Amino acid sequence: MANSASNAPAGQGARSAKVVPLPARAPERLVGVGFRCWLAGLSTGDIKCWEEAWNTFSGMLGPEKAKTLLLDLSKFVRAVKANAQRDIEISPAGCRSFCRDECLAISIIAACQHGERQALKASVSALIGSEDIGDTLNGAIALAAALRSTNQLLCADSVCPATCGLRASRRRLM
């Protein structure tokens, strides 16, 4: 079951999120796991969440590239958290699946990298629950560019319509 990182007014119940297996591709995994870990860290203050993000990024890319990417990831996740008008859901640490909101985060970064403006705007709006997407969009663009600079290009198939947020065929582990 997905955890909820609360940004909504008190009294709003968390909805149940569908989950799909983690993608086998490193760029999508970096974005999804990084988003999960960083948001969990911001919500709980538990340094273990940020350590998990660091270990994932530095293990895949080395410490120098990880340092740069985590700074941009942090800006993106902080913008999501600050601008969200609803609860953002994340799967528990170590979960081998992504929930809808984690898939939307992946879709946002993929849409940035592939110039899919309409899908980008729809995905950001769906994730934060608002049409006021400016700060979140800026954070996403910076993260997408940083990933591209380290040759971490998300697949064009990772761009999903915001209405579904999921595409199970591309979320299977190999």
Side-chain angles (χ1 to χ4, degrees), residues 148-168:
R148 182 182 292 278
S149 74
T150 61
N151 295 317
Q152 298 300 311
L153 186 62
L154 280 74
C155 181
D157 285 346
S158 294
V159 179
C160 293
T163 55
C164 72
L166 305 171
R167 189 173 290 164

Side-chain angles (χ1 to χ4, degrees), residues 27 29-35 37-38 51-63 65-71 73 143 147:
R29 186 174 293 172
L30 285 171
V31 173
V33 171
F35 181 81
C37 293
W38 217 263
E51 287 174 346
E52 184 179 343
W54 169 257
N55 291 336
T56 299
F57 277 65
S58 64
M60 288 184 174
L61 305 170
K65 289 179 181 177
K67 199 182 312 181
T68 301
L69 286 175
L70 285 174
L71 179 61
L73 173 73
L143 177 57
L147 284 162

Side-chain angles (χ1 to χ4, degrees), residues 122-145:
S123 293
V124 173
S125 182
L127 180 62
I128 66 172
S130 171
E131 296 297 318
D132 186 12
I133 64 171
D135 290 341
T136 306
L137 186 61
N138 291 337
I141 291 168
L143 177 57

Side-chain angles (χ1 to χ4, degrees), residues 62-133:
E64 288 306 312
K65 289 179 181 177
K67 199 182 312 181
T68 301
L69 286 175
L70 285 174
L71 179 61
D72 288 307
L73 173 73
S74 172
K75 290 175 186 174
F76 171 59
V77 175
R78 287 178 187 277
V80 168
K81 186 168 176 58
N83 292 291
Q85 300 298 307
R86 63 175 193 84
D87 289 346
I88 304 296
E89 293 188 13
I90 54 175
S91 297
C95 182
R96 301 208 26 98
S97 300
F98 286 141
C99 69
R100 180 180 182 272
D101 289 345
E102 293 164 338
C103 289
L104 282 169
I106 293 167
S107 180
I108 289 165
I109 303 307
C112 284
Q113 288 186 336
H114 293 282
E116 297 285 342
R117 291 178 168 264
Q118 191 172 24
L120 173 60
K121 290 177 181 178
S123 293
V124 173
S125 182
L127 180 62
I128 66 172
S130 171
E131 296 297 318
D132 186 12
I133 64 171

